[in-house]
Amino acid sequence: MDKRAVIFDTDPGQDDAVAILTALASPELDVLGIVTVAGNIPLSLTTRNALRLVELAGRTDVPVYRGSDRPLRRSLVTAEHVHGETGLDGPDLPEPQTLPAKGHGVDFLIETVRSRPAGSVTLLALGPLTNVALALAKAPDIAERLAGLVLMGGGYFEGGNITPTAEFNIYVDPDAAAIVFGSGVKLTVLPLDVTHKMRSTKERIEAFRSLGNNSGKAVAAMLSFSERFDVEKYDWEGAPLHDPCVTAFMLQPEIFQGREINVEIETESVLCRGMTVADYWGVTDRPKNAFWVRSGDSDRFYALLTERIGRLP
Ligand code: BDR
Ligand code: CA
C-alpha cells in the first residue's frame, strides 16, 4: 500500500491526542513527525503531551519537534478550562522517557517538505497556525510543494467557541491564520460547522473503553474529562470532537461534505478577532482559497476512530 506522508502541527489537548493516535494506528499514513505549538496550554506541556502520545502508541520512531512558544504578535491565550492543567487531563499517563528531537519544528517542516518529492507531504494542523505561518513566510516555495494543508479551525454556521465569532485555533493567532489562508497552499478546513456534529456520546466513549487496550482506555478517559466543559456549555448529549476530523478526512474523505469557497481572516476588529469570514454562498467574487467542510457522518466517523484506536497497544 502506498502510504501518504503527513506531518502534524499540534497543541495536544485531548482531541489532538485522538487525532494523532488514530493516524499512528493507520497503515495508510506515514507520520513523518509531530511539531508542537503553544495553544491549549504552553509549549512545554504540548511537547510533553506529544511525547506521551508517541510512547502510548509504541511509536517513539516518530520524532517530536518543539515549535513556537507564542503567537506571532499577540499574547498567548490558553484553554486549561477545557483541557485541564496538563492539557491531557483524564488518563494517568506516565512521564515521557523520550526527548524532543533537536532543532526547531519550523525548520523541520521546511526541510522535510523540501527534501521530499513535490506533492507528497500533507500538513495536518490541529492548533494555532503560528508554526505553519512561519514556515510559509520563511520558505514560500513549500506552499506549492505541499500536497495540501488540512486544518481544524474556524466556524461559520456555528459561530465561535472562544468568542461569539471566533474559534479557538484561529482566535489565538489570527495573524498567522491570515498568512496561511493567503498563502496559496491547497487548503482543507474542518471548522466547528462539522466538528459540532461529531459528538462523543456516552456510548461512543464506552466503545473506546471496551476495546480493552491501553490506548482505548486512555482515549475514553481523555474524552470523559474534556467533554464536561462542552456538555455543560451546549447542553448536548456529548461534546464535539474537533481535531480527529482532520485525520478522518485524510482516511475517509467520503464521510464529509463541503465546497470550495473564499475564506478571509478578521485580524483587526475587537469584537470579531479571529473570525473566519467564509463566503459559503458565493456573494463576493473573491478567489476561492479553501475547501470548507460543512457536514459529516458521525456514526462512520466514530466507527473509524474506534476501529483504528483498537489497533494500538
Ligand atoms: C480547537 O481548539 C482546541 O481547544 C482543540 O484542541 C481544537 O484544536 C477547537 O476549537
Ligand atoms: Ca488542538
Side-chain angles (χ1 to χ4, degrees), residues 201-221 223-224 302 305-313:
T201 58
K202 294 259 169 306
E203 297 72 36
R204 287 166 171 167
I205 293 179
E206 202 41 51
F208 287 115
R209 190 171 288 113
S210 314
L211 290 167
N213 56 351
N214 283 340
S215 300
K217 288 182 211 152
V219 165
L223 298 186
S224 302
Y302 276 93
L305 300 187
T306 311
E307 188 271 324
R308 294 306 164 97
I309 297 298
R311 298 184 188 203
L312 291 171

Side-chain angles (χ1 to χ4, degrees), residues 291-313:
F291 184 77
W292 185 268
V293 180
R294 186 178 178 183
S295 56
D297 182 328
S298 64
D299 286 332
R300 291 178 69 186
F301 172 73
Y302 276 93
L304 172 65
L305 300 187
T306 311
E307 188 271 324
R308 294 306 164 97
I309 297 298
R311 298 184 188 203
L312 291 171

Side-chain angles (χ1 to χ4, degrees), residues 142-156:
I142 66 168
E144 276 204 353
R145 291 190 69 84
L146 278 166
L149 165 62
V150 184
L151 68 87
M152 189 280 134
Y156 176 69

Side-chain angles (χ1 to χ4, degrees), residues 154-156 189 191 193 257-259 261 263 276 278 280 290-294:
Y156 176 69
V189 184
D193 302 343
Q257 297 83 40
R259 60 165 74 154
I261 64 167
V263 183
T276 43
Y280 200 83
F291 184 77
W292 185 268
V293 180
R294 186 178 178 183

Side-chain angles (χ1 to χ4, degrees), residues 10-13 15-16 40 83 126-128 152 168-169 243:
T10 176
D11 61 339
D15 62 326
D16 304 68
N40 285 324
H83 301 277
L126 313 179
M152 189 280 134
F168 179 81
N169 289 340
D243 294 339

Side-chain angles (χ1 to χ4, degrees), residues 6 8 14-31 34 53 56-57 59 124 126 208 211 215 219 222-223 241 243-252 300-312:
V6 299
F8 276 105
Q14 291 89 349
D15 62 326
D16 304 68
V18 180
I20 292 167
L21 291 172
T22 303
L24 292 176
S26 294
E28 301 94 326
L29 301 179
D30 180 11
V31 183
I34 298 173
L53 292 170
L56 174 65
R59 291 296 309 277
L124 308 180
L126 313 179
F208 287 115
L211 290 167
S215 300
V219 165
M222 285 180 210
L223 298 186
L241 190 49
D243 294 339
C245 288
V246 168
T247 309
F249 185 88
M250 287 300 289
L251 295 169
Q252 293 185 8
R300 291 178 69 186
F301 172 73
Y302 276 93
L304 172 65
L305 300 187
T306 311
E307 188 271 324
R308 294 306 164 97
I309 297 298
R311 298 184 188 203
L312 291 171

Side-chain angles (χ1 to χ4, degrees), residues 74 153-155 159-160 162-163 165-175 177 264-277:
R74 308 183 192 235
I162 183 83
T163 73
T165 53
E167 179 280 329
F168 179 81
N169 289 340
I170 307 294
Y171 178 81
V172 171
D173 200 344
D175 311 294
E264 305 289 334
I265 308 297
E266 176 56 58
T267 56
E268 299 304 327
S269 155
V270 175
L271 271 180
C272 299
R273 161 184 168 178
M275 182 177 181
T276 43
V277 181

